[in-house]
Amino acid sequence: MKNLDVAIVGAGTAGLFAAASVSRKTENFLLFEGGPLGTTCARVGCMPSKGFIHAANAVFASRDPRVPGVPVRPDLPVDTGKLLGHVRALRDGLASGVAARVEKRFSEKLVRENVSFAGPMTLSGPSGTYACKAIVLATGSEPQVPPGFSLEPATIVTTDGFFELRQIPAGVLVVGMGPVGIELGQALARLGASVTAVEMTASSAGISDPGIEAFFKKILESEKNLSCRFRTSARLVNAGKRPRVVLENLETGTKEEGRWDLILLVSGRRPRVAGLHLENSGLATDGRGFPVIDPKTLRCKDMDVFFAGDASGLRPFYHDAQEQGVLAGKNASDPKNPSGLVSRIPLTIVFTRPNVAAVGTRFSNLEPGGFVTGEADFDTSGRGILECGKKGLLHIFVDKKTGKIAGAEMAAEAGEHISHLLAAIIHAGLDVEGALSIPYYHPTYEEGVQGALQDAKRKLTAGTAS
Ligand SMILES: Cc1cc2nc3c(=O)[nH]c(=O)nc-3n(C[C@H](O)[C@H](O)[C@H](O)COP(=O)(O)OP(=O)(O)OC[C@H]3O[C@@H](n4cnc5c(N)ncnc54)[C@H](O)[C@@H]3O)c2cc1C
């Protein structure tokens, strides 16, 4: 049995930040990685998906007939094999760069194997058994495969297999319209695939504001090649070269059956803990059998075991994996003086066109009657008109009592930037007057923020309901 001050399980984003943090306090640690190096973000997540979306939008722009005089050739076929190869090359460059840096920085600390709990505070793997004073579990998450489906790499894939495709086929069924499903579904449609996208709930992209949801649905309806079905479930009838699937409308019970060349399963991700043998860990669990984690310190109840990144089941985003990794590493190497997570403004961005974004308190979490909604419609904004009708609807939620900005939801061109601006405004604790005192350059999409704030100010003054 070997003794360690800290074991870090998983060399993804969270594990790497944890290892960097631990290395400042002790030399007696190991970083275990059982899969490929390079991180989920760079290999199969944020990076290849955004490269793919950029390529799809480049094709879309080249076929946009809205600017007179610009030649448009929708008849020219897209070489999707080449395009996918380009995305893979970008991805490989990024992932191999990360892998090389990890091997260099942690060479003697990196153990390339899966480990699991052999007992409380004890991990074991092919290289031996390790008694650990503290453990950071940064094992990431894995795609959920909906009941009844099984993976057939050529025709039924999750995002883990998607970027390995050699061609974009003619007909694609996207199962799940959360952030990743709708991003990839829209991009596939923009590349010319005929896409059917299904979603069990009534909403897509995680939007909770009904006005933004209705606006975004209209945009999706206007998207050529994309057909969205809400409140609909998908059931595999048989797999094979062209899998056959039944789609059932959960409200009306209506069923339709079809065959698709490719099924992309994007129905969520779950913490990757199955291989850890948590039953041996002695960790206290909740009703679902998942360890009870203090969301502030990331420490499991009564033991110096810390979760970080997607494995924690808290916020499954890159910046959170980074922050949680740093904190879990710090707390694991000095468990007697734990620090808490900085309470950051929640921010999510979906890279559709227009972007969907939420910042601060979402509509669904606001106190009913306690806020006004300032609205800006980008169709009438100078920049939107100049750019031939680029779309956007922004809702800013303002607390009626304090006049402070509580949050915002939007489906808006440049939403990725607008949401960051609003995050800074909320972080600074500004009220409507304070936020209106910031300069808004003309003509930018940020003028939408100014417009929505002015609308909120009018409503606050008039005492209008939300
Ligand atoms: C398609 C897609 C698009 C995304 N887009 C975005 C985006 O635009 N913006 C954003 O913020 N987030 C995005 N995300 C989410 C983001 O990628 C994740 O939140 C982040 O990568 C999680 O990092 P992590 O360190 O928790 O996990 P990972 O990077 O997955 O690391 C976990 C590591 O643990 C290893 N491991 C697991 N079990 C064991 C074991 N028992 N022993 C040893 N090693 C083990 C695994 O092999 C893996 O390398 C996206 C995700 C996907 C799938």
Side-chain angles (χ1 to χ4, degrees):
M1 176 104 74
K2 295 160 203 167
N3 293 306
L4 294 176
D5 285 346
V6 185
I8 300 138
V9 187
T13 303
L16 291 173
F17 276 88
S21 199
V22 169
S23 69
R24 283 180 214 118
K25 295 266 179 184
T26 176
E27 271 298 299
N28 184 22
F29 75 94
L30 287 176
L31 171 61
F32 296 94
E33 173 53 64
L37 288 177
T39 76
T40 289
C41 168
R43 289 186 311 100
V44 290
C46 329
M47 304 311 270
S49 63
K50 268 78 248 181
F52 181 72
I53 290 165
H54 172 73
N57 285 330
V59 171
F60 182 78
S62 77
R63 294 172 166 186
D64 185 350
R66 282 181 291 187
V67 184
V70 175
V72 174
R73 293 296 306 272
D75 52 315
L76 288 181
V78 177
D79 184 341
T80 62
K82 211 167 181 176
L83 184 147
L84 283 163
H86 158 75
V87 173
R88 270 194 298 280
L90 289 176
R91 180 274 309 265
D92 291 346
L94 289 163
S96 62
V98 175
R101 286 195 294 279
V102 172
E103 275 171 333
K104 189 166 173 219
R105 173 148 191 205
F106 296 111
S107 57
E108 282 149 31
K109 303 294 179 192
L110 185 63
V111 185
R112 300 294 305 275
E113 64 187 35
N114 275 316
V115 285
S116 60
F117 280 94
M121 303 310 291
T122 310
L123 294 173
S124 98
S127 63
T129 302
Y130 300 87
C132 312
K133 284 192 192 148
I135 297 172
V136 176
L137 298 173
T139 50
S141 60
E142 57 199 359
Q144 306 214 50
V145 175
F149 281 91
S150 56
L151 301 181
E152 296 223 351
T155 54
I156 307 181
V157 296
T158 64
T159 47
D160 281 358
F162 179 75
F163 300 105
E164 298 310 317
L165 293 174
R166 288 329 195 223
Q167 296 289 335
I168 301 296
V172 183
L173 175 67
V174 176
V175 180
M177 276 196 264
V180 177
I182 197 62
E183 279 183 354
L184 294 179
Q186 187 189 46
L188 282 161
R190 289 185 165 203
L191 285 171
S194 169
V195 178
T196 306
V198 295
E199 165 59 45
M200 301 259 272
T201 71
S203 154
S204 62
I207 302 171
S208 83
D209 180 306
I212 303 294
E213 179 56 42
F215 174 82
F216 189 56
K217 271 185 179 154
K218 278 211 186 99
I219 290 189
L220 294 178
E221 275 163 24
S222 69
E223 191 80 42
K224 208 175 146 209
N225 302 330
L226 179 64
S227 167
C228 296
R229 320 273 163 88
F230 291 91
R231 302 284 299 136
T232 298
S233 74
R235 181 172 57 81
L236 183 69
V237 179
N238 49 46
K241 203 154 176 249
R242 294 194 77 223
R244 185 195 292 256
V245 178
V246 171
L247 306 181
E248 179 174 354
N249 183 302
L250 298 170
E251 272 159 12
T252 61
T254 324
K255 289 182 184 166
E256 57 177 308
E257 198 170 301
R259 285 180 177 276
W260 282 271
D261 303 302
L262 177 73
I263 300 179
L264 173 59
L265 301 174
V266 259
S267 36
R269 297 176 68 85
R270 61 168 170 240
R272 194 191 283 113
V273 292
L276 283 172
H277 292 303
L278 288 173
E279 67 280 8
N280 299 333
S281 67
L283 292 170
T285 53
D286 61 18
R288 301 163 303 150
F290 198 78
V292 180
I293 307 170
D294 175 352
K296 207 120 185 79
T297 62
L298 305 175
R299 183 176 181 267
C300 292
K301 198 169 176 226
D302 303 330
M303 277 198 205
D304 289 329
V305 176
F306 299 83
F307 272 86
D310 284 12
S312 72
L314 294 171
R315 292 192 200 170
F317 306 109
Y318 176 88
H319 61 284
D320 292 299
Q322 241 184 6
E323 188 187 3
Q324 291 178 17
V326 171
L327 183 83
K330 181 185 168 295
N331 287 348
S333 35
D334 189 7
K336 295 220 158 44
N337 297 298
S339 304
L341 280 173
V342 177
S343 162
R344 282 185 213 276
I345 308 298
L347 173 63
T348 60
I349 298 168
V350 183
F351 292 83
T352 44
R353 281 294 173 83
N355 301 152
V356 169
V359 54
T361 309
R362 283 172 182 268
F363 178 87
S364 54
N365 294 329
L366 292 162
E367 186 199 328
F371 65 98
V372 296
T373 301
E375 180 175 286
D377 181 348
F378 286 29
D379 283 8
T380 52
S381 76
R383 185 62 174 268
I385 293 165
L386 290 175
E387 296 198 352
C388 305
K390 288 242 172 97
K391 303 251 173 243
L393 185 67
L394 167 64
H395 281 175
I396 297 182
F397 313 125
V398 179
D399 187 281
K400 271 186 184 170
K401 276 193 212 124
T402 61
K404 286 193 176 179
I405 319 299
E409 291 197 39
M410 69 205 76
E413 201 61 34
E416 60 175 300
H417 306 300
I418 290 169
S419 55
H420 276 91
L421 170 63
L422 283 165
I425 287 175
I426 297 170
H427 179 76
L430 297 184
D431 62 9
V432 172
E433 284 300 343
L436 276 170
S437 66
I438 292 170
Y440 295 92
Y441 206 82
H442 177 70
T444 61
Y445 286 110
E446 280 75 359
E447 285 179 301
V449 174
Q450 191 181 32
L453 289 168
Q454 281 161 344
D455 186 41
K457 187 176 164 181
R458 272 191 298 275
K459 286 174 176 162
L460 281 173
T461 315
T464 319
S466 57

